[in-house]
């Protein structure tokens, strides 16, 4: 047991213009341990790791690796010092094989053949040693994300990484895949590697780490032995006050259905069926949650219902009207006129125009509403007045309607979208990933608004990949897998059961095999 | 980190100024290489374009053309479209002006003809932009490619029309007959003799151009259509989410853009030449791209950039006259450098300037 830490950071500082992203960060990572770093989005975790991996340079402070003070000029230098990184978004070439990806950038010589055969032997050894099985000849594009991530880990090990940094590694994984990843991390640890796990999910920290450090607004606020702390304590440290992990709500009082979908099938541009024969209904005064790992048709379902995407076939009943979605030409504006609001999954790509001001974004999709226009012209007075009112009601900060939305934080951007859609008083609200990339304080606020809307007798269809969120908010939970609805549960659904459904284990098989352990 | 926000005066003033300075610095080096004194050259250029009323009149005449073609490119920019077809749209726009003038000039005064000429030029320019717009909207054929091709089609089309259909009987020139007074816009020299514009062809279409600037500003920033155009240009996915039809925006924007380019013909045909002739556009359509880039696709910026390019045209002509070593081609080199630094290399100085201004901005924020 060596007492020299694998990595030690002393008084690291980093500023981007006016933003002090890292303030006097001290961190000691023991060799052969799994060390978690947790914090809200924007707490400075990624900046700190980027400094360690050579993407950024600290303004001041020392980096000490294995007892020696170093400067890390770039990622190549970091790799040379035995630091490997698995990025949140994989850095893989889709149409290369696993082997080619592993070798890429470490080819040894101008001719590939020799390097490749050496790499194949080495890869085989690594696979055996760390139980990281993956076919070296498979193309990346044919592998599920879980295996792609394994390739990223292999890449780092191939470059003799002693310290592995994983940035939000479970964001794209099913619960089962995540569990498998944690097993891999355990094996790595037992083989003497050091793992730095960046995440904002408390559960993961509790499940795998030995030590956990909490960051808040650029500062390292605490380091704890994982065994001596609790989720509640960590959550409190992350936000600086205690937070309700549950949403307070009364049982739903559902009334008549406000939206019914029958036999909806959607085919994407490649001709692949992404939504398969989905039927569901949403009643007034209830929140219907759709759980599922992202990429199982939820996005397409929302986009079709909101008029953005065309369906192949299916019927939508809304406001007493039955619409044949296979032949309708209704666009998003038409659906809004039918009192359907839509908070899209991706606010940057769809929900906001980030180069526009807050007030311009506050009417996106409603700009033809007579309340905000006079003939051909926009009624800027009315638009700004409405924007100011929404800013006040939703506590959007900074309270400046003239600011471009790009300059708001994630949580405030989401509030701008939410305010726009809720304040138009829709009968049905489609919501995708309401709290993705949003800090805990704003999550609480957003969840409260959604429940208030439900209590006002509106129907809500909620899509989220965060199981906790689905369970906290929904009155009924539908699970989507491979374009189909594979199961329905009540508001107190068992998490393990939902997880299995999300992973494609069929409802009947689950009961046949004696349920969940 | 996002690109960082600069104070407006830096974004709209300092950066264009630095780009221009760089362009003139390099131009100065070229002038030295030729063996002339660059300071003398600048003096001639400034005097020739601004120094006396007639020269200034020419500057304004060229600027009028650039305002129209610059606005055309700018409107398309706002929808994220790159209309390189201003040249052809202006050329075909000439047909609209000529039809109005040839039909009416013998019967009514110019101010009756003018509205028809405006409508005619805009309609013909828009029509020429329609097919590329439709192909982009429906088939995804890129307007950059199709508008360039339509420029070449317009060149042949106009030569055919002027050589075979519209030619004045018994003439050797590929041109229509000369319009009577009812088809001629008054020269500013005739309206305001005291300014002493002399033989400069600057005419009342300058005011049409300025009105077009106001109209474009109003369209882009005050109307629902403008909001939709800007939404589509800034984030097409979000525009679809907002129920804005891409087909409609692409087609409508390109029609407006083509119409504005077509209106350039009012200045040349009704304002100066008084007949439709071949090759009257001579690059104004292409330079409009640079004008729009320099003017940040904003009407005020476009007016300033149009005057600058007008100065280069007029001052350049004087320069090649005063300093025979500096030929017309040299002037084109200088224009090319301005386009290069103001357009293509627009981002050259930006990162450094962002770095320079961000800390001071932070201080300012703290003080506030």
């Amino acid at each position: 047991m060596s007492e020299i830490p694998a990595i030690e950071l002393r008084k690291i500082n980093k500023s981007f213009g006016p933003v002090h992203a890292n303030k006097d960060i001290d961190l000691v990572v023991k060799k052969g341990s799994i060390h978690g770093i947790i914090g809200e989005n924007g707490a400075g975790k990624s900046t700190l790791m980027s400094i360690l991996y050579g993407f950024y340079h600290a303004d001041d402070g020392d980096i000490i690796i294995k007892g020696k003070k170093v400067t890390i000029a770039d990622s190549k230098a970091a790799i040379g010092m035995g630091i490997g990184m698995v990025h949140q978004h994989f850095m893989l070439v889709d149409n290369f094989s696993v082997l080619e990806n592993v070798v890429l950038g470490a080819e040894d010589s101008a001719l590939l053949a020799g390097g490749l055969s050496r790499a194949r032997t080495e890869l085989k050894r690594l696979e055996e040693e760390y139980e990281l099985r993956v076919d070296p000849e498979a193309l990346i594009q044919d592998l599920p994300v879980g295996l792609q991530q394994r390739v990223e880990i292999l890449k780092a090990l191939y470059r003799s990484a002693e310290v592995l940094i994983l940035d939000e590694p479970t964001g794209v994984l099913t619960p089962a895949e995540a569990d498998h990843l944690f097993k891999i991390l355990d094996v790595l640890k037992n083989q003497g590697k050091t793992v730095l796990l960046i995440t904002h999910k408390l559960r993961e920290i509790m499940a795998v780490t030995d030590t956990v450090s909490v960051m808040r607004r650029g500062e390292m606020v605490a380091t704890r032995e994982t065994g001596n702390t609790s989720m509640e304590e960590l959550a409190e440290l992350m936000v600086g006050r205690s937070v309700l992990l549950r949403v307070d709500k009364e049982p739903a009082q559902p009334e008549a259905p406000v939206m019914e979908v029958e036999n909806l099938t959607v085919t994407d541009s490649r001709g692949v069926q992404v939504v398969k024969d989905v039927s569901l209904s949403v009643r007034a005064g209830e929140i219907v949650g759709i759980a599922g790992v992202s990429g199982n048709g939820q996005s397409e379902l929302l986009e079709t219902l909101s008029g953005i995407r065309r369906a192949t076939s299916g019927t939508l009943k809304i406001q007493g009207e039955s619409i044949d979605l296979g032949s309708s030409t209704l666009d998003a504006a038409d659906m809004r006129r039918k009192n359907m609001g839509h908070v899209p999954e991706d606010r940057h790509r769809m929900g906001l125009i980030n180069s526009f001001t807050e007030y311009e974004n506050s009417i996106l999709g409603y700009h033809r509403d007579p309340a905000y226009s006079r003939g051909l012209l926009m009624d800027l007075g009315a638009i700004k007045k409405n924007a100011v009112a929404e800013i006040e009601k939703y506590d959007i900060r900074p309270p400046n309607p003239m600011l471009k939305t790009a300059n708001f934080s994630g949580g405030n951007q989401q509030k701008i979208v939410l305010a726009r859609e809720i304040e138009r008083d829709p009968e049905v609200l489609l919501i995708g990933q309401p709290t993705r990339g949003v800090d805990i304080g704003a999550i609480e606020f957003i969840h409260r608004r959604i429940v208030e809307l439900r209590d006002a007798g509106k129907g809500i269809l909620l899509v989220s990949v965060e199981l906790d969120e689905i369970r906290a908010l929904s009155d009924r939970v539908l699970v989507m897998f491979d374009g189909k609805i594979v199961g329905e549960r009540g508001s107190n659904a068992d998490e393990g059961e939902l997880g299995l459904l999300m992973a494609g284990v069929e409802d009947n098989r689950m009961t046949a095999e004696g349920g969940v352990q | 980190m996002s690109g960082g926000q600069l104070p407006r005066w830096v974004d709209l003033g300092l950066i264009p100024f630095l780009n221009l300075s760089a362009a003139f610095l390099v131009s100065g080096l070229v002038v030295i290489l030729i063996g002339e004194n660059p300071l003398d050259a600048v003096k001639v250029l400034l005097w020739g374009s601004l120094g006396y009323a007639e020269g200034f009149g020419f500057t304004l005449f060229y600027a009028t053309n650039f305002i129209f073609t610059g606005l055309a490119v700018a409107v398309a920019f706002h929808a994220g479209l790159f209309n390189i077809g201003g040249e052809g749209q202006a050329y075909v726009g000439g047909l609209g002006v000529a039809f109005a003038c040839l039909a009416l000039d013998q019967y009514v005064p110019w101010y009756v003809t003018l509205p028809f000429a405006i409508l005619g030029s805009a309609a013909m320019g828009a029509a020429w932009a329609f097919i590329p717009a439709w192909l982009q909207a429906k088939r995804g054929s890129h307007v950059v490619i199709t508008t360039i091709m339509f420029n070449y089609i317009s060149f042949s089309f106009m030569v055919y029309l002027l050589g075979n259909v519209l030619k004045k009987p018994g003439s050797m020139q590929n041109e229509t007959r000369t319009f009577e007074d009812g088809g001629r816009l008054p020269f500013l020299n005739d309206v305001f003799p005291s300014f002493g514009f002399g033989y400069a062809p600057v005419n009342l279409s300058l005011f049409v151009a300025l009105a077009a600037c106001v109209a474009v500003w109003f369209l882009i920033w005050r109307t629902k259509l403008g909001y939709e155009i800007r939404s589509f240009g800034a984030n097409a996915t979000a525009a679809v989410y907002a129920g804005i039809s891409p087909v409609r925006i692409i087609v409508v924007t390109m029609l407006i853009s083509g119409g504005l380019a077509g209106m350039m013909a009012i200045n040349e045909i009704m304002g100066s030449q008084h007949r439709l002739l071949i090759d009257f556009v001579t690059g104004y359509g292409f330079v409009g791209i640079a004008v729009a880039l320099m003017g940040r696709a904003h009407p005020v910026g476009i007016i300033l950039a149009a005057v600058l390019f007008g100065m280069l045209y007029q001052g350049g002509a004087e320069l090649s006259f005063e300093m025979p070593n500096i030929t017309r081609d040299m002037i084109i080199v200088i224009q090319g450098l301005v386009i290069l630094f103001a357009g293509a290399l627009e981002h050259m100085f930006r990162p450094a300037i962002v770095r320079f201004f961000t800390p001071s901005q932070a201080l300012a924020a703290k003080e506030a």
Side-chain angles (χ1 to χ4, degrees):
Chain A
M1 288 303 260
S2 150
E3 284 310 305
I4 299 172
I7 290 175
E8 195 177 347
L9 302 178
R10 285 188 198 146
K11 300 261 173 257
I12 295 285
N13 274 292
K14 177 73 186 170
S15 296
F16 298 100
V19 182
H20 204 159
N22 283 166
K23 281 177 230 166
D24 289 336
I25 301 285
D26 289 322
L27 178 70
V28 178
V29 181
K30 265 189 284 190
K31 188 170 162 17
S33 72
I34 301 182
H35 193 122
I37 296 182
I38 192 162
E40 295 182 354
N41 292 287
K45 306 176 302 249
S46 293
T47 305
L48 188 64
M49 290 307 114
S50 297
I51 289 171
L52 195 50
Y53 196 57
F55 279 157
Y56 298 141
H57 298 251
D59 298 337
D60 51 63
D62 297 328
I63 302 174
I64 295 147
I65 292 181
K66 285 190 268 186
K68 263 190 294 219
K69 198 177 143 186
V70 295
T71 47
I72 301 176
D74 52 22
S75 55
K76 205 167 177 175
I79 292 167
M81 290 167 205
I83 299 173
M85 184 148 178
V86 176
H87 296 271
Q88 195 172 1
H89 305 284
F90 304 148
M91 309 277 183
L92 297 170
V93 183
D94 275 351
N95 53 356
F96 273 22
S97 71
V98 170
L99 186 64
E100 286 168 324
N101 266 291
V102 168
V103 173
L104 187 67
E107 295 93 343
D108 295 342
S109 64
L111 288 179
L112 266 183
L116 276 185
S117 69
R118 239 175 299 130
R120 189 169 289 129
T121 327
E122 171 68 7
L123 205 56
K124 199 152 181 63
R125 189 185 68 74
L126 290 174
E127 284 178 16
E128 310 251 305
E129 195 173 337
Y130 300 105
E131 296 169 43
L132 284 164
R133 263 168 255 299
V134 47
D135 174 12
E137 304 306 328
L139 294 186
I140 295 296
Q141 61 201 21
D142 301 333
L143 296 178
V145 279
L147 285 183
Q148 292 187 10
Q149 190 171 54
R150 224 173 275 183
V151 177
E152 282 281 13
I153 296 174
L154 278 170
K155 261 169 72 178
L157 294 175
Y158 182 76
R159 287 156 177 75
S160 351
E162 288 299 315
V163 179
L164 262 179
I165 306 170
L166 289 103
D167 190 4
E168 303 280 359
T170 59
V172 289
L173 303 183
T174 63
E177 282 175 324
D179 283 345
H180 198 105
L181 173 71
F182 297 152
K183 270 187 217 139
I184 293 173
L185 296 186
D186 253 348
V187 175
L188 288 170
K189 179 175 94 171
N190 293 336
Q191 298 282 348
K193 305 281 184 195
T194 309
V195 177
L196 262 170
L197 179 69
I198 321 292
T199 182
H200 63 264
K201 293 182 188 162
L202 290 165
R203 180 187 327 284
E204 293 170 6
I205 291 289
M206 300 309 288
V208 318
T209 61
D210 302 310
T211 316
V212 51
S213 297
V214 184
M215 287 188 78
R216 182 172 77 223
R217 285 190 212 144
E219 287 177 86
M220 193 62 87
V221 290
T223 296
R224 297 273 189 277
E225 296 297 318
T226 309
N228 300 336
T229 184
S230 64
M231 289 227 252
E232 283 74 19
E233 189 196 10
L234 291 178
E236 201 174 322
L237 286 166
M238 272 165 73
V239 292
R241 65 197 162 89
S242 60
V243 168
L244 283 172
L245 278 171
R246 312 233 116 251
V247 178
D248 277 331
K249 62 178 169 77
E250 303 290 311
Q253 311 283 338
E255 292 161 31
V258 283
M259 178 178 80
E260 288 172 272
V261 181
E262 281 165 19
N263 309 106
L264 178 68
T265 297
V266 181
T267 312
D268 71 4
S269 56
R270 295 166 300 162
V272 179
Q273 273 198 3
V274 284
V275 176
K276 297 169 183 166
D277 199 26
V278 164
S279 298
L280 60 88
S281 78
V282 178
R283 291 171 294 178
E286 74 169 346
I287 301 175
V288 176
I290 295 192
V293 178
S294 69
N296 277 293
Q298 309 96 309
S299 310
E300 289 83 358
L301 176 67
L302 277 190
E303 287 181 13
T304 310
L305 294 179
S306 60
I308 294 168
R309 187 184 277 271
R310 296 267 163 268
T312 317
S313 61
T315 315
L316 173 67
K317 284 185 192 154
I318 185 169
Q319 298 220 308
E321 191 185 346
S322 180
I323 303 162
D324 176 12
L325 287 175
S327 63
S328 94
T329 54
L330 299 180
D331 66 10
D334 298 316
M335 296 316 289
R336 282 197 181 83
R337 274 191 286 275
K338 297 190 184 303
N339 275 333
M340 184 192 278
H342 178 201
V343 177
E345 290 184 297
D346 187 337
R347 60 179 170 270
H348 296 291
R349 203 173 60 88
M350 196 175 266
L352 293 170
I353 297 175
N354 274 334
S355 57
F356 276 20
T357 60
E358 195 277 339
Y359 78 85
E360 285 176 312
N361 270 300
S362 72
I363 52 153
L364 185 68
Y366 300 96
H367 54 280
R368 296 195 200 116
D369 191 322
Y372 307 119
S373 58
R374 282 171 306 192
L376 293 174
L377 302 185
M378 298 199 291
D379 187 344
L380 289 185
I383 293 170
K384 283 179 189 161
K385 202 168 145 217
N386 170 67
V388 169
E390 284 178 3
I391 285 174
E392 179 140 348
K393 186 162 175 190
Y394 285 77
D395 190 26
I396 294 165
R397 279 180 245 174
N400 178 3
M402 309 300 283
L403 201 64
K404 287 184 178 160
T405 48
N407 299 336
F408 286 86
S409 72
N412 284 301
Q413 288 174 337
Q414 190 68 358
K415 284 182 184 176
I416 295 171
V417 178
L418 211 71
R420 181 180 73 209
E421 300 301 322
I422 290 182
E423 291 305 306
R424 300 292 92 70
D425 199 24
E427 288 303 316
V428 182
L429 184 62
L430 310 174
I431 308 182
Q433 319 299 352
T435 56
R436 177 186 277 171
V438 165
D439 54 79
I440 288 194
I443 289 177
E444 229 184 314
F445 182 90
I446 289 169
H447 284 176
R448 254 203 331 268
R449 286 283 162 199
I450 295 173
V451 171
E452 275 171 27
L453 189 68
R454 178 200 78 164
D455 293 342
K458 313 298 181 182
I460 295 166
L461 185 67
L462 166 78
V463 166
S464 175
V465 292
E466 299 292 340
L467 206 45
D468 291 342
E469 179 163 82
I470 290 281
R471 292 178 65 236
L473 282 176
S474 309
D475 302 310
R476 278 193 295 139
V477 181
L478 306 174
V479 181
M480 230 174 144
F481 176 76
D482 191 26
K484 291 187 288 260
I485 300 231
V486 292
E488 177 172 343
R489 293 289 183 274
S491 61
N492 47 1
D494 178 78
E495 189 183 350
E497 215 175 307
L498 288 175
L500 285 175
L501 284 170
M502 283 162 65
V505 178
E506 278 164 44
D507 231 350
N508 46 11
R509 194 171 358 140
M510 204 152 65
T511 41
E513 286 172 6
V516 198
Q517 59 276 43
Chain B
M1 292 262 92
S2 58
Q5 280 234 310
L6 289 172
R8 273 174 75 86
W9 70 269
V10 176
D11 196 27
L12 302 176
L14 184 63
I15 289 182
F17 174 76
L18 282 177
N19 288 332
L20 261 188
S21 308
F24 283 116
L25 212 67
V26 178
S27 308
L29 292 176
V30 178
V31 172
I32 291 174
L33 282 178
I34 292 176
E36 295 282 356
N37 182 339
L39 288 178
D40 288 346
V42 168
K43 248 183 259 167
V44 173
L45 198 140
L46 286 178
W47 184 81
S49 56
L50 303 173
Y52 63 105
E54 192 173 7
F56 185 56
F58 272 96
T59 298
L60 287 180
F61 172 73
Y62 298 128
T64 308
N65 283 339
F66 293 134
I67 289 174
F68 283 121
T69 55
L71 285 177
V73 176
V75 168
F77 268 167
H78 281 290
L81 297 165
F82 206 4
N83 178 12
I84 309 213
E87 194 81 6
Q89 289 144 15
Y91 204 175
V92 176
L95 280 179
V97 180
F99 290 153
C101 293
L102 290 171
L104 300 172
D105 63 343
Q106 286 152 337
Y107 313 107
V108 295
W110 64 268
Y111 49 83
V112 177
T113 313
L114 180 61
F116 291 97
I118 292 175
L119 284 177
S121 60
M124 294 305 288
W128 204 248
F130 176 73
I131 297 173
W134 184 256
L135 288 173
Q136 165 87 66
K138 285 290 189 181
R139 314 286 315 174
S141 319
H142 210 290
V143 283
V144 167
I145 310 291
T146 47
T147 51
I148 289 178
M149 294 200 286
F150 264 68
N151 285 339
Y152 289 101
I153 298 174
S154 76
F155 301 159
S156 305
F157 177 62
M158 291 297 282
V159 167
Y160 168 78
L161 283 183
L162 283 165
N164 298 281
V165 184
L166 298 171
K167 192 164 74 158
K168 181 167 73 173
S171 164
M172 296 293 285
Q173 304 287 332
N174 285 339
E175 58 186 40
T176 63
R177 72 171 169 81
T178 304
F179 309 147
E180 304 293 326
D181 279 351
R184 297 181 181 197
L185 282 180
F187 291 113
L188 284 197
N189 190 44
D190 299 333
V191 184
F192 308 109
S194 55
F195 286 1
F197 283 128
Y199 290 105
V202 59
N203 57 74
L204 285 183
S205 47
L206 173 63
F207 298 106
V208 179
L210 294 176
C213 287
V214 176
V216 165
W217 178 84
F218 212 74
L219 167 76
I220 296 293
W221 280 284
R222 284 293 178 270
T223 67
K224 284 187 280 185
L225 178 61
Y227 179 84
E228 296 190 348
I229 289 174
R230 286 185 296 129
S231 300
F232 180 73
N235 184 342
T237 315
V240 172
Y241 158 77
I244 297 168
S245 152
V247 172
R248 177 170 160 267
I249 293 300
I250 291 172
V251 171
V252 169
T253 308
M254 282 298 286
L255 290 181
I256 295 171
S257 175
L260 285 163
M263 283 164 72
M264 191 216 95
I266 300 168
N267 188 39
E268 279 287 335
I269 301 304
M270 195 177 176
S272 165
Q273 301 284 354
H274 305 148
R275 67 213 145 100
L276 183 62
L277 69 171
I278 60 167
D279 286 344
F280 71 87
V281 185
T282 58
Y284 294 117
F286 291 126
V287 178
I289 298 166
V291 171
L293 279 172
M294 260 199 93
R296 292 295 159 85
H298 191 287
V300 174
I302 285 169
I303 293 173
L304 295 174
V307 170
L308 173 76
F309 275 89
M311 285 168 61
L312 284 175
Y313 260 53
Q314 165 57 16
E318 296 268 339
L319 195 56
S320 58
F321 184 71
E322 295 282 330
M323 296 182 169
N325 275 341
I326 300 179
T327 59
R328 279 285 330 160
D329 300 326
M330 252 313 291
I331 306 305
I332 293 173
V333 168
I334 295 176
Q335 285 165 9
L337 285 167
V338 171
I339 294 172
L340 185 71
F341 280 94
L345 299 181
E346 211 267 321
H347 292 285
M348 194 168 63
F349 297 116
R350 186 172 284 270
I353 290 172
V354 169
R355 241 173 289 134
F356 183 79
F357 276 96
T358 326
S360 66
Q361 215 189 355
L363 283 179
K366 258 182 214 156
E367 281 160 14

